[in-house]
Structure formats: C-alpha cells, structure tokens
C-alpha cells in the first residue's frame, strides 16, 4: 500500500457546499502569479470569443475554454506545483474562477492571498 501525499488527499477531498469548497479553491491558487495567469487567460479567451461571436465566427467561441484552461492548468503544474481543482470539482471550480477574477478586478487580490494562507495553515 502506498502512502498518499497531502496533495493527493486534498485532491480527493469532498465538499458539501460551494462555500466549503471556496477556501480550498483559493488555496490551490495561493501564489499571485497563478491567479494572474488565470485572470489573463480567462479574459483573453473571453475577448477572442466575444470578438468572434460578434463577427459571426462561431468557432471563436472555443477560444474561451482553450485559452482559459490552456493557460491556467500549466500554471498549477509550474507555479503552484499542484493539480487544478477543476480535476476533482469542475462546476465549483468554474464558479470559483469567476469569483476569483471578479475579486481581482475589484482590487481584492490581497483577500484571496489571506484566504489561501489561512486554509493552508489549517489544512497543510
């Protein structure tokens, strides 16, 4: 029997509500660089998708998930050294990404850093 790392145990963690999931989601984005890569990828994908749809080029709609996830997932592996929360909790992760980006655009990135550090201190 192999011993699981804390990362593997966290990946398999079950949450009863989104509110319970949210601090975990933020903790998986504990480094500012990861959060900013997410924001940049999501907004770039959204802009390209919107541009394409406004021009009647429906295939551009694929830019949002391709660019969004295509930038976010490598950030987890290279910056955070963890697995994306999307792998275990896809719907709540999408909601978390939107909430995280809204907070960042509102100038509340410091709150995200505090939430991440608190969750990691209690669960690390």
């Amino acid at each position: 029997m192999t011993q699981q790392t804390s990362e593997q145990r966290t990946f398999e963690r079950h949450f009863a509500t989104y509110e319970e999931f949210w601090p975990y989601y933020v903790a998986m984005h504990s480094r500012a660089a990861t959060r900013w890569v997410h924001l940049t990828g999501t907004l770039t994908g959204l802009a390209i998708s919107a541009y394409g749809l406004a021009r009647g080029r429906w295939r551009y709609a694929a830019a949002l998930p391709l660019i969004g996830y295509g930038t976010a997932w490598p950030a987890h592996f290279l910056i955070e050294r963890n697995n994306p929360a999307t792998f275990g909790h896809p719907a709540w992760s999408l909601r978390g990404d939107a909430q995280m980006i809204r907070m960042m655009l509102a100038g509340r990135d410091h709150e995200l850093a505090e939430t991440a550090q608190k969750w990691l201190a209690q669960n690390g």
Side-chain angles (χ1 to χ4, degrees):
M1 183 174 190
T2 60
Q3 186 176 16
Q4 287 185 318
T5 66
S6 64
E7 177 61 33
Q8 289 168 323
R9 285 189 301 272
T10 300
F11 181 89
E12 296 169 1
R13 188 176 187 135
H14 297 283
F15 301 95
T17 65
Y18 173 77
E19 289 70 25
E20 184 182 323
F21 169 78
W22 169 246
Y24 160 77
Y25 178 83
V26 176
M28 296 299 100
H29 302 81
S30 66
R31 297 175 186 244
T34 305
R35 295 189 298 273
W36 285 98
V37 167
H38 275 59
L39 179 133
T40 302
T42 299
L43 294 183
T44 300
L46 187 60
I48 293 171
S49 292
Y51 171 81
L53 293 174
R55 301 273 186 250
R57 298 179 181 157
W58 300 103
R59 68 174 187 244
Y60 279 54
L64 180 55
L66 290 175
I67 295 172
Y69 288 125
T71 56
W73 287 353
H76 282 282
F77 304 127
L78 301 172
I79 299 170
E80 290 287 340
R81 307 252 188 249
N82 66 19
N83 289 316
T86 304
F87 292 174
H89 309 281
W92 282 346
S93 292
L94 184 59
R95 181 176 170 187
D97 200 38
Q99 183 174 348
M100 181 175 70
I101 289 170
R102 279 193 310 273
M103 289 179 72
M104 292 174 72
L105 292 174
R108 298 172 55 198
D109 191 51
H110 66 282
E111 291 178 45
L112 295 167
E114 291 171 7
T115 298
Q117 294 312 313
K118 182 178 176 183
W119 191 92
L120 290 169
Q122 292 174 347
N123 297 281

